[in-house]
Amino acid sequence: MSNQLTRRDFAIRTAGFGLAGFNLAWGLAPAATLAETEQASRSETSPAIADPYSLVDPELLPTLKQFPAFGLSLEMVRQFRQMPGAPPLPAPAPQPVERHIPGPPGAPEVRLWVVDPAPAEKGKPLFLHMHGGGFMMTGPGWMPLLQEIATDCHCVVVSVDYRLAPETRYPGALEDNYAALKWVHAHAAELGIDRSRIAVGGESAGGGHAASLAIHARDRKKRDRNEPDRNKEDVPICFQLLIYPALDDRTGSSNPPPPAIGNFIWTASANRLAWSSLLGVPAGSSKVPAAAVPARVASLAGLPPAWIGVGSIDLFVEEDMEFARRLVHAGVATELLVVRGAFHGFDLLVPDGEASKQFSASWKSALRQAFAAGKAV
């Protein structure tokens, strides 16, 4: 495949696809570690099944077969970053407004995109969104998605343009997202929102960032309770919407996937490289700090209710189901949807498919119900 990027290649950034051949020469780890990681990627042989395509939903299959398997080079990632995204939907769709807020101490400002479906209305719910893109890119369909959520769920949507890996490693993006959470809470009156109805969420890498943010907000609240002399930073969250989230760096490294999953779009080697770029150490290794990875956090008690959705042949299906199980065991109200025969980002590649429409309807319904309940933790 040539380095000339097609519109389809560009579109797949939204879920962070196709990083199997990504060059990590941006210096995320020592040279020896990098060489080992890249060699493991090149030499990996996934367990084979007779016909992986036989597991795919027949309605999704024709589009999937048109999609070529390829690995991104550093140059292609740079091109992806430079290409313009899809323009906002025209009015009467609510229009995005760019805002810049103070970043974490010592860090640059954080850019936000705010979409308000009813600027004159007060007491609206708010959805704080973190985009996908394999921790390293942003999605081309970002703006239309924000407008769609704002309209269909009648909420203010604030999307965080967090700093990207590997130039910014953990906890940079988390700090940006937390700065945004504090800002929307502090500026509730200006935004016309109800502080008790702030949800967080995202897709793929963005779902992982959202889960990390919910954990971080819980832990900051616990710290403030134990240290009464500190300034309070209680920023309650009512819900977490996790759309095929990336939750575990060990998937594809120390935890090899079974033969039936992760064969399409987002592979074990892609996941290994993406997580390594975020963490600055090899994914799956003992060097990974537990606080950096939602699946490694010891306790999930006290987190907001969650909706988790994933395809049955998505590389993330096992880690997402395990995270849902742990949430349930911790007493967190949780809904899990596993879509038969669906691969990573299926709803983006085949948006008009029946499975995709049911998937989108489910998470939008869950978000609306969470806003109706209006109870933050």
Side-chain angles (χ1 to χ4, degrees), residues 103-189:
E109 288 187 328
V110 179
R111 182 171 70 165
L112 308 177
W113 291 99
V114 181
V115 182
D116 189 342
E121 185 178 322
K122 303 299 181 184
K124 299 181 293 290
L126 181 139
F127 179 58
L128 185 64
H129 171 261
M130 279 125 269
H131 65 78
F135 304 124
M136 291 172 284
M137 297 172 285
T138 58
W142 196 2
M143 292 304 171
L145 174 63
L146 305 184
Q147 294 171 285
E148 179 184 327
I149 296 171
T151 300
D152 293 352
C153 299
H154 196 70
C155 61
V156 177
V157 178
V158 175
S159 192
V160 190
D161 191 11
Y162 55 82
R163 286 171 290 169
L164 299 173
E167 297 94 336
T168 299
R169 304 169 189 167
Y170 171 83
L174 173 60
E175 292 174 343
D176 291 348
N177 294 330
Y178 188 67
L181 177 62
K182 290 194 297 182
W183 185 84
V184 298
H185 187 265
H187 292 77

Side-chain angles (χ1 to χ4, degrees), residues 205-287:
H209 279 314
S212 288
L213 177 60
I215 293 167
H216 184 70
R218 177 203 64 179
D219 293 346
R220 292 291 287 261
K221 181 165 60 174
K222 287 181 179 178
R223 183 208 66 183
D224 289 342
R225 287 174 178 171
N226 294 331
E227 301 180 28
D229 292 337
R230 281 187 176 269
N231 293 326
K232 299 299 182 183
E233 296 187 13
D234 188 0
V235 279
I237 296 171
C238 74
F239 188 65
Q240 45 183 332
L241 178 66
L242 310 179
I243 300 173
Y244 34 79
L247 300 172
D248 196 341
D249 69 292
R250 295 165 296 190
T251 298
S253 52
S254 55
N255 291 346
I261 72 171
N263 292 297
F264 305 111
I265 307 297
W266 188 254
T267 65
S269 57
N271 204 47
R272 194 163 57 240
L273 296 176
W275 272 106
S276 296
S277 74
L278 175 69
L279 299 170
V281 296
S285 73
S286 60
K287 298 178 182 179

